[in-house]
Amino acid sequence: MASSCSPSRLVIGLDRPGVDYTGGEFLAVEQRLRAQSRGTTTAVAQGEGLAFTTRDRPVPSRRGWSAAPMRHGVSVLRSGRRHALGLVFHDAR
């Protein structure tokens, strides 16, 4: 039986944004059906964690809920060095 859950990740910032590096924000892009993709950036501070899906996220639709494809990455690092700890959560069988 296949799981219906999308794989998830947690990223924890190990450096101080604006001090140890500039740029390098977490970037999430939602691919919308028949519409332009929408991107959001988030700075992950030292010691903070950010949980995100690696494939789909639920969005309301006219017939209840549907899955919106998600992409993720990191914006351009302008200076310094950025380190993060990434934890992957998935249903390995």
Side-chain angles (χ1 to χ4, degrees):
M1 177 159 79
S3 173
S4 62
C5 294
S6 285
S8 302
R9 290 192 181 174
L10 174 67
V11 65
I12 299 170
L14 301 178
D15 296 311
R16 299 167 297 170
V19 177
D20 297 323
Y21 67 94
T22 58
E25 294 90 1
F26 175 82
L27 175 63
V29 179
E30 178 184 348
Q31 297 172 305
R32 301 185 300 161
L33 187 61
R34 293 185 290 282
Q36 190 171 22
S37 296
R38 180 175 27 201
T40 306
T41 60
T42 304
V44 181
Q46 184 178 38
E48 287 186 351
L50 177 71
F52 60 97
T53 181
T54 59
R55 188 172 42 213
D56 302 316
R57 79 176 187 93
V59 293
S61 67
R62 283 186 263 187
R63 296 184 207 141
W65 293 90
S66 63
M70 297 292 294
R71 303 288 239 174
H72 67 277
V74 178
S75 68
V76 174
L77 189 64
R78 293 187 294 275
S79 69
R81 293 184 66 141
R82 175 189 178 274
H83 299 91
L85 172 64
L87 302 171
V88 180
F89 302 98
H90 62 91
D91 187 12
R93 293 181 190 212

